[in-house]
Amino acid sequence: MRRALPALAVAGLLSLTACGGSASPDAAGTSSSSGSGGELTGTLTVFAAASLTDVFTGLGDQLMAENPDLDITFNFAGSSALATQITQGAPADVFASANQTQMGVVTGAGLAEGDPTVFTENVLEIAVPPDNPADVTGLSDFADADLTLAVCAPDVPCGAAAEQVFEAAGITAQPDTLEEDVRAALTKVELGEVDAALVYASDVQAAGDQVEGIGFPEAEDAVNEYPICTLAGSQNPGAARAFLDLVESEAGQRALTDAGFRSPTS
Amino acid sequence: MSLRAHVVVRRGALLVDVDLAVADGEVLAVLGPNGAGKSTVLRVLAGLLVPDGGRVAVGDDVWDDGDRHLPAHRRPLGMVFQDHLLFPHLSTTDNVAFGLRTRGVRRAEARSTAEGWLRRVGLEGFGDRRPTQLSGGQAQRAALARALVGEPRLLLLDEPLSALDARTRLTVRAELRRHLAEFAGCAVLVSHDPVDAMALADRVLVVEDGRVVQEGTPAEVARMPRTDYVARLVGLSLLPGVGRGRSVELDGGGAVAVAEEAQGPVFVAVRPGTVSLYLSRPDGSPRNVWPATLVAATPHGSTVRCDLDGEVPLTADVTATAFAELGLQPGARVWASVKASEVAVYPR
Amino acid sequence: MAFLVLPLLGLLVRAPWSELWPQLTQPQVGQALRLSLVSATLATLVSLVLGVPIAWVLARSTLRGRSVLRALVTVPLVLPPVVGGVALFLVLGRQGILGRWLYETFDYTIPFTTTAVVIAETFVAMPFLVISVEGALRAADARFEDAAATLGADRWTTFRRVTLPLVAPGVAAGAVLCWARALGEFGATITFAGNFPGTTQTMPLAVYLALQSNPEGAIVLSLVLLAVSLATLLLLRDRWLGRSGVPT
C-alpha cells in the first residue's frame, strides 16, 4: 500500500503507449514496483514463444542490470501452450506470441491490456545440411519426390505457414515427414538425414553452423507476425511496460534482427 | 563289470575322489551324509557335471576321460530325481514318451510304448493327467517309467524315495525293488537313508567327505560298520580298540570282553538292544560292566533310546516300562552291562 | 490406484462424445490405428525373436560380460526416447554407421519408413520383454533342463520343449508389456521414423499433433487408442495368462 501515488502516476503514463489501456487501480494498489527515479522493483513474469528464448533472455538480463531490484522470470514454450496457461489463470505480466492466432485466444478472453502490437516478424527459410549436399536451390525442390524432405505438420505454426507458401507457389510438396515442431525438423537436417527442411529464418540462425539457410521469395506469402502485450491481471504493470518498450526499442530490434527475425514491415 | 568310474571333482573345500564299479544287473547304493559328495558323483555319471579328473566308462564306451566328455543327452541313461521333476506342461504319457521322442521315435509309437510302461508301473489310465494331478507316489512311479522307457544301460536314482511320506515310501520302495530286479543294466542309487540302501541295493558304497569309507553287501555294512556315521545309521555303537585275546582294549580307554579271539586293531560293535541298565552295580559280576551318565533319552517306539557317556560311550535301548521303573532322568548315574557273546568284533 | 485411474477418468469426462463418430470415421484415424497395431505387433515379434535368446543368455549362461549385457539391454528404459531416436539415426540413418553402407550399397534408407517405426518401437519396447523373460527363466527350476538332458534332449530341444513352455507365462506377459509399450511409443518413433500419414504416423503421433490444433479431437483419438489397447490386453489375459496352470 505504500507509495500508491507514484505507482498510479506510472500507470497513468502507461496509458499513453500502444499496448496500455487504463491501468487497473487494483494493479496499482498491490504493486510492489515503484517509480522513484525510474527504478523498477518486484517480480516480472514474461510468457514468450520458445523461438524468442535467446533474444528475450538477453533483453531481460539488460533490464535487470539497469534495475537491480527487479527480478524477471521467463516461461518459454509453444504459443498455444502459453495461451492455454494464461486463459487457465497462470500469473503472467507479458505475453509474446509467435502468431496472431494464439494472441487472439488471449485477447478474446479479455485478458490483454489494450491492443497487442506486432514487434517482429519471421519468414520461412529452407534449412539444408552444411554444403547443401542435395543442391537445393529453392522452394520448387520440395516437389522432388527423390529428395528426403521435412516440413512441419500442418497442426503447428511452421507447418501452417509452409502450406501457405506451397499453395501460393502452386507447388505440390513431397515431404517424407511432417515434423511435430521446428526443433525436430532441424535435428534431422543437422544429422544429415533429410536433404532440406522448411523452418523459420530465426531457427536457421539459432542452429549456427549446423545448418545453412536458403531464402526464397515465396516466403513473403506467409510472414509470421509476433504480437506482444501486457496482461490485464499484471501485478507489475510498470515493469511490464518497461519490458515492452525495451523490446520495441532500437536495441531490442537489433537483438531480434541478429537472431534472424526482421523488423515489422507494416 | 559294466560301469567303471573314477570320479574326481573339486567342490570348494571338498575334494570328491570316488572309485566305483557296477556290474550289469547290479544295484549299487551310494550312502553318505549330506554334503559328502554323493550327488556330485551321480551328476558326473549323468554327464551333467564335467569332472576335474578320472574316467567314466560303460562297457567299452568311454564317457569321460581327460578332455573327452560325452554330454548328458548323448549318454544312454535314465535318471530318477528326488522330486520326480516331471515336466509340468506335459501329460504323464508325454512325460514318459519324452525320452523316446528325443531319440527319434515317432510320436504314435513313443506314446504307445509310454502307455505300456505306465501299465507296468501301475499307472494305467493316468496317462492323460498332468503331473500336478498325480500323488507323490504316482509321480515318482511315472518318473521311474520315464527313466526306464529308453532301456538305458545305466539307471541313476537320486534319493528317489526321500520326498515321499512314510506309507507311500513303503509301497514305492517295494515296487522300485521289483523294477530294479528286472532291470538289465547297471543301477546306481544315491541315498542318505540306510533302509532304502539296504532294501534296494546289492552292494553299498559309503561315502564321507568325498571319500569311500566302506564298501560291501548291505548285510556286511550293517553288521560291521567301519565309521561312526554308518554305525549310527545302522543303530550300533562302534568302539575301536586293540584285541588282546578275549579282551579288547579300547582306544578311548577301558576294555571289552569278547567271545571270540581278537588280535591287533579291531572294531567292537554293540547293539543298543543288548545293553542293560542298572541303578547299582549288578550282582553276579558280568565281565562287561561300566559306570555311565545318562546324557539323553529319546522315545523310540516301545523303547527308549538312552545315550550314555562314560569311559565306554554306548547307546542302550530299554523298554519304556523299564525306563519308568528305573526313574531315569538325564544326568542320572547308571551302570551299563552287556554280555560278551552279544559283542561283535572284527578287524579294522 | 487413484493416481493411475484418475487421468483416464479425466479423459472420459472431458471426451466430446458428439464428436466421437465424425472423428472415428476420418480416414487418417483408421490409417494411424492400423499402422499402430501392425507396427506394434511386428515390433513385438521382432522383440520375441531377439529378446528371448538374450534373456536366456542373461539368465542361464556363465558368460563373463553378462552384467554389462544386462545394463546395455536396459539402456533404452532410462534413455529419453527422443535420444533413442537420435541414437538410431547415428547407427541406421542415412549418415549412420550401418545406414550409410545400406544407402551407398543398396540405395536403401531406413528412416521415414514403416520399417523405421518398427525398429524404433522394438528398440524402446524390447527391454520390457527381456526383463520379464529373464525373470521367468530365473524363477523356473533349472533342474528340469537337467532332467531333459538325461532324457536325450540337446540344448535346443531342451529350450524348445521344456524351458520355453515352462516360462511361457513370463514370455506372454513380457510380450504383452512389450506390445503395449510399442503401441504407445512416441519419442523414438517421431524422431527416427518421422511423421507421415499412412507410412509412419502412428496413433500417439496423431494424438500429439491433434493436440496442437484440435484438443478435443486429440481426446477422442486418445480414447480410441485406450479402448483398443485395453480390449487387446483383456482379451490376451483371458486367452493366455489366465489359463496356463504352469507353476514356476
Side-chain angles (χ1 to χ4, degrees), chain C residues 158-197:
Chain C
T158 302
F159 178 74
R160 204 165 40 87
R161 297 213 37 214
V162 175
T163 315
L164 214 49
L166 279 178
V167 300
V171 174
V176 167
L177 210 58
C178 172
W179 184 82
R181 179 67 187 85
L183 193 70
E185 215 301 305
F186 173 78
T189 307
I190 202 162
T191 306
F192 182 57
N195 168 54
F196 200 83

mmCIF file of all heavy atoms in Angstrom, chain C residues 158-197:
data_model
loop_
_atom_site.group_PDB
_atom_site.id
_atom_site.type_symbol
_atom_site.label_atom_id
_atom_site.label_comp_id
_atom_site.label_asym_id
_atom_site.label_seq_id
_atom_site.Cartn_x
_atom_site.Cartn_y
_atom_site.Cartn_z
ATOM 1 N N THR C 158 15.859 -79.019 -25.548
ATOM 2 C CA THR C 158 15.502 -78.694 -24.167
ATOM 3 C C THR C 158 14.867 -77.320 -24.088
ATOM 4 O O THR C 158 13.825 -77.122 -23.457
ATOM 5 C CB THR C 158 16.748 -78.731 -23.273
ATOM 6 O OG1 THR C 158 17.330 -80.024 -23.370
ATOM 7 C CG2 THR C 158 16.389 -78.436 -21.829
ATOM 8 N N PHE C 159 15.506 -76.362 -24.780
ATOM 9 C CA PHE C 159 14.995 -74.996 -24.755
ATOM 10 C C PHE C 159 13.588 -74.935 -25.349
ATOM 11 O O PHE C 159 12.676 -74.353 -24.786
ATOM 12 C CB PHE C 159 15.938 -74.088 -25.543
ATOM 13 C CG PHE C 159 15.479 -72.672 -25.617
ATOM 14 C CD1 PHE C 159 15.576 -71.835 -24.510
ATOM 15 C CD2 PHE C 159 14.935 -72.158 -26.778
ATOM 16 C CE1 PHE C 159 15.147 -70.538 -24.562
ATOM 17 C CE2 PHE C 159 14.497 -70.857 -26.839
ATOM 18 C CZ PHE C 159 14.609 -70.039 -25.731
ATOM 19 N N ARG C 160 13.423 -75.604 -26.466
ATOM 20 C CA ARG C 160 12.167 -75.544 -27.204
ATOM 21 C C ARG C 160 11.044 -76.310 -26.499
ATOM 22 O O ARG C 160 9.923 -75.839 -26.398
ATOM 23 C CB ARG C 160 12.409 -76.157 -28.591
ATOM 24 C CG ARG C 160 11.499 -75.732 -29.695
ATOM 25 C CD ARG C 160 12.104 -76.124 -31.049
ATOM 26 N NE ARG C 160 12.727 -77.439 -31.015
ATOM 27 C CZ ARG C 160 12.088 -78.579 -31.230
ATOM 28 N NH1 ARG C 160 10.808 -78.570 -31.477
ATOM 29 N NH2 ARG C 160 12.743 -79.726 -31.190
ATOM 30 N N ARG C 161 11.385 -77.514 -25.987
ATOM 31 C CA ARG C 161 10.316 -78.373 -25.490
ATOM 32 C C ARG C 161 10.135 -78.319 -23.984
ATOM 33 O O ARG C 161 9.126 -78.790 -23.463
ATOM 34 C CB ARG C 161 10.569 -79.819 -25.942
ATOM 35 C CG ARG C 161 10.531 -79.929 -27.467
ATOM 36 C CD ARG C 161 10.002 -81.231 -27.958
ATOM 37 N NE ARG C 161 8.923 -81.773 -27.172
ATOM 38 C CZ ARG C 161 8.738 -83.056 -26.979
ATOM 39 N NH1 ARG C 161 9.575 -83.925 -27.518
ATOM 40 N NH2 ARG C 161 7.729 -83.492 -26.247
ATOM 41 N N VAL C 162 11.126 -77.781 -23.264
ATOM 42 C CA VAL C 162 10.999 -77.744 -21.810
ATOM 43 C C VAL C 162 11.063 -76.311 -21.280
ATOM 44 O O VAL C 162 10.118 -75.816 -20.667
ATOM 45 C CB VAL C 162 12.096 -78.610 -21.144
ATOM 46 C CG1 VAL C 162 12.039 -78.463 -19.628
ATOM 47 C CG2 VAL C 162 11.925 -80.056 -21.550
ATOM 48 N N THR C 163 12.197 -75.624 -21.540
ATOM 49 C CA THR C 163 12.378 -74.301 -20.948
ATOM 50 C C THR C 163 11.301 -73.323 -21.393
ATOM 51 O O THR C 163 10.655 -72.674 -20.568
ATOM 52 C CB THR C 163 13.759 -73.750 -21.325
ATOM 53 O OG1 THR C 163 14.721 -74.783 -21.139
ATOM 54 C CG2 THR C 163 14.111 -72.572 -20.460
ATOM 55 N N LEU C 164 11.111 -73.245 -22.707
ATOM 56 C CA LEU C 164 10.161 -72.264 -23.233
ATOM 57 C C LEU C 164 8.736 -72.496 -22.719
ATOM 58 O O LEU C 164 8.091 -71.561 -22.245
ATOM 59 C CB LEU C 164 10.222 -72.282 -24.764
ATOM 60 C CG LEU C 164 9.999 -70.954 -25.474
ATOM 61 C CD1 LEU C 164 10.845 -69.851 -24.871
ATOM 62 C CD2 LEU C 164 10.295 -71.094 -26.953
ATOM 63 N N PRO C 165 8.226 -73.754 -22.785
ATOM 64 C CA PRO C 165 6.887 -73.973 -22.218
ATOM 65 C C PRO C 165 6.820 -73.634 -20.726
ATOM 66 O O PRO C 165 5.813 -73.106 -20.260
ATOM 67 C CB PRO C 165 6.648 -75.468 -22.432
ATOM 68 C CG PRO C 165 7.545 -75.845 -23.552
ATOM 69 C CD PRO C 165 8.745 -74.959 -23.457
ATOM 70 N N LEU C 166 7.914 -73.889 -19.997
ATOM 71 C CA LEU C 166 7.905 -73.603 -18.562
ATOM 72 C C LEU C 166 7.771 -72.105 -18.302
ATOM 73 O O LEU C 166 7.115 -71.695 -17.355
ATOM 74 C CB LEU C 166 9.189 -74.111 -17.900
ATOM 75 C CG LEU C 166 9.255 -75.589 -17.561
ATOM 76 C CD1 LEU C 166 10.603 -75.929 -16.960
ATOM 77 C CD2 LEU C 166 8.145 -75.953 -16.581
ATOM 78 N N VAL C 167 8.438 -71.306 -19.135
ATOM 79 C CA VAL C 167 8.401 -69.865 -18.901
ATOM 80 C C VAL C 167 7.359 -69.174 -19.786
ATOM 81 O O VAL C 167 7.329 -67.956 -19.856
ATOM 82 C CB VAL C 167 9.788 -69.218 -19.109
ATOM 83 C CG1 VAL C 167 10.802 -69.811 -18.147
ATOM 84 C CG2 VAL C 167 10.254 -69.367 -20.541
ATOM 85 N N ALA C 168 6.505 -69.970 -20.428
ATOM 86 C CA ALA C 168 5.518 -69.387 -21.340
ATOM 87 C C ALA C 168 4.718 -68.245 -20.710
ATOM 88 O O ALA C 168 4.535 -67.207 -21.350
ATOM 89 C CB ALA C 168 4.587 -70.473 -21.868
ATOM 90 N N PRO C 169 4.258 -68.382 -19.468
ATOM 91 C CA PRO C 169 3.506 -67.254 -18.899
ATOM 92 C C PRO C 169 4.348 -65.981 -18.820
ATOM 93 O O PRO C 169 3.855 -64.890 -19.097
ATOM 94 C CB PRO C 169 3.134 -67.741 -17.491
ATOM 95 C CG PRO C 169 3.233 -69.221 -17.556
ATOM 96 C CD PRO C 169 4.320 -69.530 -18.544
ATOM 97 N N GLY C 170 5.625 -66.149 -18.474
ATOM 98 C CA GLY C 170 6.505 -64.993 -18.408
ATOM 99 C C GLY C 170 6.749 -64.386 -19.777
ATOM 100 O O GLY C 170 6.779 -63.170 -19.934
ATOM 101 N N VAL C 171 6.898 -65.252 -20.779
ATOM 102 C CA VAL C 171 7.103 -64.767 -22.141
ATOM 103 C C VAL C 171 5.849 -64.028 -22.609
ATOM 104 O O VAL C 171 5.929 -62.938 -23.185
ATOM 105 C CB VAL C 171 7.428 -65.931 -23.102
ATOM 106 C CG1 VAL C 171 7.495 -65.433 -24.530
ATOM 107 C CG2 VAL C 171 8.745 -66.586 -22.716
ATOM 108 N N ALA C 172 4.693 -64.604 -22.312
ATOM 109 C CA ALA C 172 3.438 -63.968 -22.726
ATOM 110 C C ALA C 172 3.279 -62.620 -22.041
ATOM 111 O O ALA C 172 2.947 -61.615 -22.685
ATOM 112 C CB ALA C 172 2.264 -64.875 -22.395
ATOM 113 N N ALA C 173 3.548 -62.586 -20.743
ATOM 114 C CA ALA C 173 3.412 -61.325 -20.014
ATOM 115 C C ALA C 173 4.378 -60.292 -20.580
ATOM 116 O O ALA C 173 4.019 -59.121 -20.776
ATOM 117 C CB ALA C 173 3.683 -61.549 -18.528
ATOM 118 N N GLY C 174 5.599 -60.731 -20.857
ATOM 119 C CA GLY C 174 6.591 -59.819 -21.423
ATOM 120 C C GLY C 174 6.177 -59.320 -22.794
ATOM 121 O O GLY C 174 6.336 -58.142 -23.110
ATOM 122 N N ALA C 175 5.604 -60.225 -23.595
ATOM 123 C CA ALA C 175 5.191 -59.833 -24.941
ATOM 124 C C ALA C 175 4.056 -58.814 -24.876
ATOM 125 O O ALA C 175 4.038 -57.847 -25.639
ATOM 126 C CB ALA C 175 4.758 -61.065 -25.736
ATOM 127 N N VAL C 176 3.136 -59.021 -23.948
ATOM 128 C CA VAL C 176 2.018 -58.085 -23.815
ATOM 129 C C VAL C 176 2.518 -56.715 -23.378
ATOM 130 O O VAL C 176 2.146 -55.670 -23.921
ATOM 131 C CB VAL C 176 0.980 -58.637 -22.808
ATOM 132 C CG1 VAL C 176 -0.005 -57.558 -22.419
ATOM 133 C CG2 VAL C 176 0.260 -59.833 -23.404
ATOM 134 N N LEU C 177 3.425 -56.724 -22.413
ATOM 135 C CA LEU C 177 4.010 -55.483 -21.923
ATOM 136 C C LEU C 177 4.735 -54.763 -23.062
ATOM 137 O O LEU C 177 4.609 -53.556 -23.247
ATOM 138 C CB LEU C 177 5.003 -55.834 -20.814
ATOM 139 C CG LEU C 177 5.239 -54.835 -19.700
ATOM 140 C CD1 LEU C 177 3.940 -54.534 -18.998
ATOM 141 C CD2 LEU C 177 6.253 -55.396 -18.718
ATOM 142 N N CYS C 178 5.480 -55.551 -23.798
ATOM 143 C CA CYS C 178 6.269 -55.033 -24.922
ATOM 144 C C CYS C 178 5.334 -54.437 -25.967
ATOM 145 O O CYS C 178 5.554 -53.335 -26.475
ATOM 146 C CB CYS C 178 7.093 -56.185 -25.490
ATOM 147 S SG CYS C 178 7.968 -55.853 -27.001
ATOM 148 N N TRP C 179 4.267 -55.151 -26.252
ATOM 149 C CA TRP C 179 3.312 -54.694 -27.254
ATOM 150 C C TRP C 179 2.679 -53.372 -26.817
ATOM 151 O O TRP C 179 2.552 -52.437 -27.596
ATOM 152 C CB TRP C 179 2.244 -55.758 -27.459
ATOM 153 C CG TRP C 179 1.248 -55.449 -28.527
ATOM 154 C CD1 TRP C 179 1.403 -55.631 -29.873
ATOM 155 C CD2 TRP C 179 -0.050 -54.886 -28.347
ATOM 156 N NE1 TRP C 179 0.276 -55.213 -30.526
ATOM 157 C CE2 TRP C 179 -0.633 -54.762 -29.625
ATOM 158 C CE3 TRP C 179 -0.780 -54.477 -27.224
ATOM 159 C CZ2 TRP C 179 -1.908 -54.246 -29.818
ATOM 160 C CZ3 TRP C 179 -2.059 -53.960 -27.415
ATOM 161 C CH2 TRP C 179 -2.611 -53.850 -28.700
ATOM 162 N N ALA C 180 2.285 -53.312 -25.544
ATOM 163 C CA ALA C 180 1.642 -52.110 -25.031
ATOM 164 C C ALA C 180 2.597 -50.926 -25.104
ATOM 165 O O ALA C 180 2.213 -49.816 -25.490
ATOM 166 C CB ALA C 180 1.173 -52.333 -23.593
ATOM 167 N N ARG C 181 3.853 -51.178 -24.750
ATOM 168 C CA ARG C 181 4.830 -50.091 -24.793
ATOM 169 C C ARG C 181 5.047 -49.638 -26.238
ATOM 170 O O ARG C 181 5.142 -48.444 -26.502
ATOM 171 C CB ARG C 181 6.152 -50.554 -24.172
ATOM 172 C CG ARG C 181 7.258 -49.518 -24.186
ATOM 173 C CD ARG C 181 6.925 -48.351 -23.269
ATOM 174 N NE ARG C 181 7.896 -47.270 -23.379
ATOM 175 C CZ ARG C 181 7.849 -46.310 -24.300
ATOM 176 N NH1 ARG C 181 6.875 -46.309 -25.184
ATOM 177 N NH2 ARG C 181 8.756 -45.368 -24.341
ATOM 178 N N ALA C 182 5.107 -50.601 -27.145
ATOM 179 C CA ALA C 182 5.325 -50.273 -28.553
ATOM 180 C C ALA C 182 4.140 -49.477 -29.097
ATOM 181 O O ALA C 182 4.309 -48.528 -29.859
ATOM 182 C CB ALA C 182 5.542 -51.550 -29.367
ATOM 183 N N LEU C 183 2.948 -49.855 -28.671
ATOM 184 C CA LEU C 183 1.744 -49.176 -29.149
ATOM 185 C C LEU C 183 1.752 -47.707 -28.732
ATOM 186 O O LEU C 183 1.295 -46.841 -29.469
ATOM 187 C CB LEU C 183 0.499 -49.877 -28.584
ATOM 188 C CG LEU C 183 -0.824 -49.511 -29.217
ATOM 189 C CD1 LEU C 183 -0.897 -50.060 -30.627
ATOM 190 C CD2 LEU C 183 -1.994 -50.026 -28.393
ATOM 191 N N GLY C 184 2.265 -47.443 -27.545
ATOM 192 C CA GLY C 184 2.245 -46.067 -27.049
ATOM 193 C C GLY C 184 3.506 -45.292 -27.384
ATOM 194 O O GLY C 184 3.647 -44.137 -26.996
ATOM 195 N N GLU C 185 4.439 -45.927 -28.113
ATOM 196 C CA GLU C 185 5.733 -45.288 -28.364
ATOM 197 C C GLU C 185 5.568 -44.002 -29.160
ATOM 198 O O GLU C 185 4.869 -43.950 -30.159
ATOM 199 C CB GLU C 185 6.648 -46.263 -29.122
ATOM 200 C CG GLU C 185 8.097 -46.145 -28.726
ATOM 201 C CD GLU C 185 8.681 -44.775 -28.952
ATOM 202 O OE1 GLU C 185 8.625 -44.261 -30.072
ATOM 203 O OE2 GLU C 185 9.211 -44.218 -27.980
ATOM 204 N N PHE C 186 6.254 -42.945 -28.695
ATOM 205 C CA PHE C 186 6.150 -41.663 -29.376
ATOM 206 C C PHE C 186 7.517 -41.087 -29.746
ATOM 207 O O PHE C 186 7.825 -40.890 -30.915
ATOM 208 C CB PHE C 186 5.373 -40.677 -28.486
ATOM 209 C CG PHE C 186 5.353 -39.286 -29.013
ATOM 210 C CD1 PHE C 186 4.499 -38.929 -30.041
ATOM 211 C CD2 PHE C 186 6.215 -38.309 -28.497
ATOM 212 C CE1 PHE C 186 4.500 -37.644 -30.553
ATOM 213 C CE2 PHE C 186 6.212 -37.021 -29.004
ATOM 214 C CZ PHE C 186 5.355 -36.686 -30.032
ATOM 215 N N GLY C 187 8.329 -40.868 -28.737
ATOM 216 C CA GLY C 187 9.562 -40.092 -28.914
ATOM 217 C C GLY C 187 10.524 -40.664 -29.938
ATOM 218 O O GLY C 187 10.953 -39.963 -30.864
ATOM 219 N N ALA C 188 10.876 -41.935 -29.788
ATOM 220 C CA ALA C 188 11.845 -42.539 -30.702
ATOM 221 C C ALA C 188 11.255 -42.637 -32.099
ATOM 222 O O ALA C 188 11.940 -42.437 -33.096
ATOM 223 C CB ALA C 188 12.258 -43.915 -30.200
ATOM 224 N N THR C 189 9.941 -42.908 -32.172
ATOM 225 C CA THR C 189 9.295 -43.062 -33.465
ATOM 226 C C THR C 189 9.303 -41.752 -34.242
ATOM 227 O O THR C 189 9.720 -41.690 -35.389
ATOM 228 C CB THR C 189 7.845 -43.548 -33.280
ATOM 229 O OG1 THR C 189 7.855 -44.706 -32.463
ATOM 230 C CG2 THR C 189 7.213 -43.877 -34.607
ATOM 231 N N ILE C 190 8.845 -40.673 -33.580
ATOM 232 C CA ILE C 190 8.727 -39.411 -34.321
ATOM 233 C C ILE C 190 10.106 -38.882 -34.695
ATOM 234 O O ILE C 190 10.279 -38.193 -35.697
ATOM 235 C CB ILE C 190 7.908 -38.363 -33.527
ATOM 236 C CG1 ILE C 190 7.358 -37.311 -34.499
ATOM 237 C CG2 ILE C 190 8.737 -37.728 -32.428
ATOM 238 C CD1 ILE C 190 6.230 -36.500 -33.943
ATOM 239 N N THR C 191 11.119 -39.252 -33.898
ATOM 240 C CA THR C 191 12.465 -38.790 -34.222
ATOM 241 C C THR C 191 13.055 -39.600 -35.366
ATOM 242 O O THR C 191 13.514 -39.040 -36.357
ATOM 243 C CB THR C 191 13.380 -38.911 -32.983
ATOM 244 O OG1 THR C 191 12.767 -38.219 -31.901
ATOM 245 C CG2 THR C 191 14.740 -38.309 -33.260
ATOM 246 N N PHE C 192 13.034 -40.915 -35.227
ATOM 247 C CA PHE C 192 13.732 -41.770 -36.189
ATOM 248 C C PHE C 192 12.896 -42.026 -37.439
ATOM 249 O O PHE C 192 13.425 -42.088 -38.544
ATOM 250 C CB PHE C 192 14.104 -43.096 -35.515
ATOM 251 C CG PHE C 192 14.863 -44.038 -36.408
ATOM 252 C CD1 PHE C 192 16.058 -43.653 -37.015
ATOM 253 C CD2 PHE C 192 14.389 -45.319 -36.666
ATOM 254 C CE1 PHE C 192 16.760 -44.508 -37.835
ATOM 255 C CE2 PHE C 192 15.091 -46.192 -37.483
ATOM 256 C CZ PHE C 192 16.276 -45.778 -38.070
ATOM 257 N N ALA C 193 11.587 -42.179 -37.258
ATOM 258 C CA ALA C 193 10.751 -42.537 -38.398
ATOM 259 C C ALA C 193 10.027 -41.330 -38.983
ATOM 260 O O ALA C 193 9.495 -41.383 -40.083
ATOM 261 C CB ALA C 193 9.741 -43.597 -37.986
ATOM 262 N N GLY C 194 10.038 -40.235 -38.222
ATOM 263 C CA GLY C 194 9.314 -39.073 -38.684
ATOM 264 C C GLY C 194 7.817 -39.271 -38.541
ATOM 265 O O GLY C 194 7.352 -40.171 -37.829
ATOM 266 N N ASN C 195 7.065 -38.410 -39.235
ATOM 267 C CA ASN C 195 5.619 -38.434 -39.078
ATOM 268 C C ASN C 195 4.997 -38.196 -40.434
ATOM 269 O O ASN C 195 5.065 -37.093 -40.962
ATOM 270 C CB ASN C 195 5.218 -37.322 -38.093
ATOM 271 C CG ASN C 195 3.731 -37.093 -38.098
ATOM 272 O OD1 ASN C 195 2.959 -38.019 -37.901
ATOM 273 N ND2 ASN C 195 3.329 -35.865 -38.360
ATOM 274 N N PHE C 196 4.477 -39.244 -41.043
ATOM 275 C CA PHE C 196 3.775 -39.062 -42.314
ATOM 276 C C PHE C 196 2.582 -39.998 -42.329
ATOM 277 O O PHE C 196 2.732 -41.200 -42.126
ATOM 278 C CB PHE C 196 4.698 -39.343 -43.497
ATOM 279 C CG PHE C 196 4.187 -38.731 -44.764
ATOM 280 C CD1 PHE C 196 4.447 -37.397 -45.048
ATOM 281 C CD2 PHE C 196 3.431 -39.475 -45.647
ATOM 282 C CE1 PHE C 196 3.962 -36.818 -46.214
ATOM 283 C CE2 PHE C 196 2.938 -38.885 -46.809
ATOM 284 C CZ PHE C 196 3.199 -37.564 -47.095
ATOM 285 N N PRO C 197 1.376 -39.424 -42.571
ATOM 286 C CA PRO C 197 0.175 -40.258 -42.501
ATOM 287 C C PRO C 197 0.285 -41.465 -43.427
ATOM 288 O O PRO C 197 0.725 -41.332 -44.568
ATOM 289 C CB PRO C 197 -0.928 -39.315 -42.972
ATOM 290 C CG PRO C 197 -0.409 -37.948 -42.665
ATOM 291 C CD PRO C 197 1.075 -38.022 -42.853
#
